[in-house]
Structure formats: C-alpha cells, structure tokens
Amino acid sequence: MERREFLAYAGGLIPAMNISQNTKSKETPNIIWLIADDLGWNDLGCYGNSSIRTPHINKLGNQGLKFTQAFVTSPQCSPSRSSAWTGKYAHSTGTEDLHAPLPQKEKILPQYLKSQNYFSGNVGKLHLGKSARKKFDFIGNNIDTWKKFIKIRPKKQPFFLALGFHQPHRPFKYKTKKFQYKIEEVIVPPFLPDLKRVRTDLTRYYNEVSKMDAKIGTLVDYLNKENLLDNTLIIFWSDNGLPFPRAKGQLYDPGIGTPVIFYWKGHIKPGIYDHLTSTIDFVPTLLDLTDIKIPDSIHGRSFYSVLNGNKQAYRDYIYSERNWHDLDDHIRSIRTDKFKYIRNYLPWKPYTQPADVYGSPSFQAMRKAKQNGRLTGKERLIFRWPRPVEELYDLSKDPHEFKNLANKSEYSGIKEELRDKLKSWENRTNDVPVEKRKPDKYNYNKLFKKNLMDSQN
C-alpha cells in the first residue's frame, strides 16, 4: 500500500521504474538472516565504534553493502520482528504490543520463498508466536543448531536460514572471562551520563556483542569451508536499539536505528548506502531479488536496485510506532533525512521504559544522580513529565534529538507537513486507535514519583 501510495504523489519519490529496476538477472542464492537482539546501530567497529571488538561483523560490513540510515518500525522486539518478517506494519497485523503472536493468516518471508523451492529454517529466537514456527521447514530452539540445518537441508534446493541471537539482550552474562572490557574503553553515548555504574553496564553490554560476533565468525568460516559462502546472501540487522535509557523502547534514533549489512561476494559491491532504509522493506526486496511477485498487501518497498548499485534515495520517509511494552503507550513518528516528528498520544504518562531498562544498573544510577542533582539538562530529558504532545527535531543540527522545536514558529510549516503525513500513514495502514488500551504491568506512578520527575509546563 505504502509503495504505491508514495508513487501516486507528484514529486513524492523517484519514478516507479527506478525503484525496482534491475541491472542483473534475478537469482536464488542461499539467504541467511543474522538478527541481533537489542544492538545499538553504532555499536560495531564497522559503524564507527573504535572500542568494541567485532572483527567478524566488521569483515561483512567492509566487504558488503553497509546501510547507515536504516531504521526499524518499532523500538520493541516482537513488533519490530513481525514487521520485518511480513513486510507490514505491526499494528496492521495485530502484533503492535510486545509478545502479541502473529496471526496464522499472515504470511512471512519463508512462505513466499517456497514458490522458488527454498528450504527454510529458524534457529534461536523468533518471537512471533507458536503459529509462526509452523511456517518453517526446520526449527531449532538453540542457535547453535544452524549446523544441523545446513547438514540436513536438501542439497539441490536453495535455503533460507534465520539466526535469532539472544545477544546483547539483558540480562548480561558478564561473568565469562572472555571478551572482558575495561570501563575506560567504552564509549558513553551522549544521552547517558558518564558515571562509573553506567560504564560498567556498558562493558557487560560490549561483552555480549563480542560473544555474538564470535558466533557469526564461526558460521561464516563454516560456510566458506563447505563452499557455500560464494552463493549465500548474508543479511545482518538488529530488532531495535541498545537496552539503555532513551534508546530501546523510544522513537529517538538510538531506539529505532539499526545496523544493516548485505553481503554477497561477487554480487553486491562493497560500499555505503546513506539514504533512508526501513526493515519493513526486507521482504519486498528479497522477493524482488528472487523473482517472486510482491503482493499488494505488503507495505514495504523494494530496494533491490540499491543492491545493484543505485545510490539514489528510494524513500523519503520512514515511520515507527511504540505501543505496550510492560507499560502501555501510544507513540508514532515520521522521519526524513533531516527532520523527525514524534506524536505522544498519552502525554500524561512519563516516558515509559521496558522493564529490563528500568531494572538496569544504568537507569538506577541515573535515578540516583537525578535525585542528587547530578544530571545535566540533556541527561534529564528522559524524566520529563508530562511529555510534550508533539516533538520536532532538526537532525542536521541536533542529531541526538535534545532540542524540541515543536513550539518554534519558524518550524511550524515543517511540523504541520509531517503531522499531516503521519496522520495519513496512520489512516491508510489501519492504525489501532489510541483508545485501545492494555493494562500496565507495573504501577508507573510508584516507579516515577520516586524519580523526582521534571515538571513541564
């Protein structure tokens, strides 16, 4: 729907012929999805973090196509995943709330690939509910069963395999002696205070990322040894941002930004694509690549031409949503390459954090520092209460989204434009009404009154 709707607007995007125009014949390579769990979009060596040790992912990034402006449709695990697997926004499939199972009637990528005789499997985390597990030829609860999948697969068929890592999701298993980091090594994001407890928390997060990287290295080495690597497209991405305050569970870039790497030796040229990309576009892109008709019901848009070397922008906007995640919420956002507009439909509630973030050493350290008056203005933003109904950020000047411009008269034009486009998206994708509420798992009044919230007029 979104793909055609955009093309209907005069001057909205590139002409349709440039969107899916291919310069190579369609092929059926093996496809491997590597899905990180709560990985920050800049927390890899190949994405600019000079302290974290991820040599194997770095190699894929440096020898593949690296997307630097890629975003998920939700900063929450299962809604983000359901969107990537179906090519539809989570609210349109009834999976907008955390843990909501994907309905049986909804098709996911491996079902489409069946028409090209793909043998499919998922190992490790899936988080789509019981019915989705039946949509694969092979299911392995342990992520290390990927080797069994490769050995038993029909050798004359292409395969699709998804590896759902549990790293770097909390709780961090930091007692391992391997991949230890010193607190002086970590890079504290600008939205977090530079406190010892926060740095210690980040070292444990780094450990988990490095453990995942080692597992990926083992997989790639095996593919190479078995002469499978040259005919295998490897796609790496994360379901949402890092599990820290003002990231996971929020519609700011640290919550919805994701690393995305497409690696296919000899087929996809190494390089960087620095235009807007959404994970909702994975399904139509892979259907395009394997010469499968893209259903009209899919919201995503193919960027197959980008894999063939087209460096032009294929979309002008990305959309994201936040719904129930331990605490109820209803937030929507629209982002361009320069601006982001956020609509808080429940402004009387504090910024709701996922339970694992509330219980994290970093949030507890921030709460204590807040009570002691030790947080700076930007570090206090997560404690605003009530929230502004509207937020607008000029990302070219304020990439960390610290300065809300929604009430600045000189930005009223862009605010109204993005507000209207966001509302149009909500309507055409059948967004759930804000009145549809789900009870909070925790009493947020008790959680936040202890935090000395900042009053906003």
Side-chain angles (χ1 to χ4, degrees), residues 160-201:
F160 169 84
L161 173 64
L163 283 78
F165 295 94
H166 290 280
Q167 291 92 9
H169 196 289
R170 294 178 186 273
F172 303 144
K173 299 176 182 178
Y174 54 86
K175 292 184 179 180
T176 176
K177 294 181 179 180
K178 202 172 184 181
F179 306 124
Q180 293 296 314
Y181 289 86
K182 298 178 181 178
I183 61 172
E184 297 83 9
E185 291 182 276
V186 301
I187 299 173
V188 181
F191 52 88
L192 294 178
D194 193 350
L195 303 172
K196 183 178 179 180
R197 200 173 180 191
V198 172
R199 282 185 169 272
T200 300
D201 205 16

Side-chain angles (χ1 to χ4, degrees), residues 1-2 5-6 9 91 319 334 345 416-431:
M1 189 75 173
E2 181 191 353
E5 188 276 338
F6 268 127
Y9 281 109
H91 60 252
Y319 300 91
I334 177 173
Y345 281 95
E416 291 174 6
E417 177 188 345
L418 294 180
R419 180 201 293 148
D420 290 345
K421 288 189 179 296
L422 182 63
K423 192 63 180 177
S424 176
W425 167 77
E426 293 172 8
N427 291 336
R428 70 175 181 268
T429 59
N430 297 314
D431 198 1

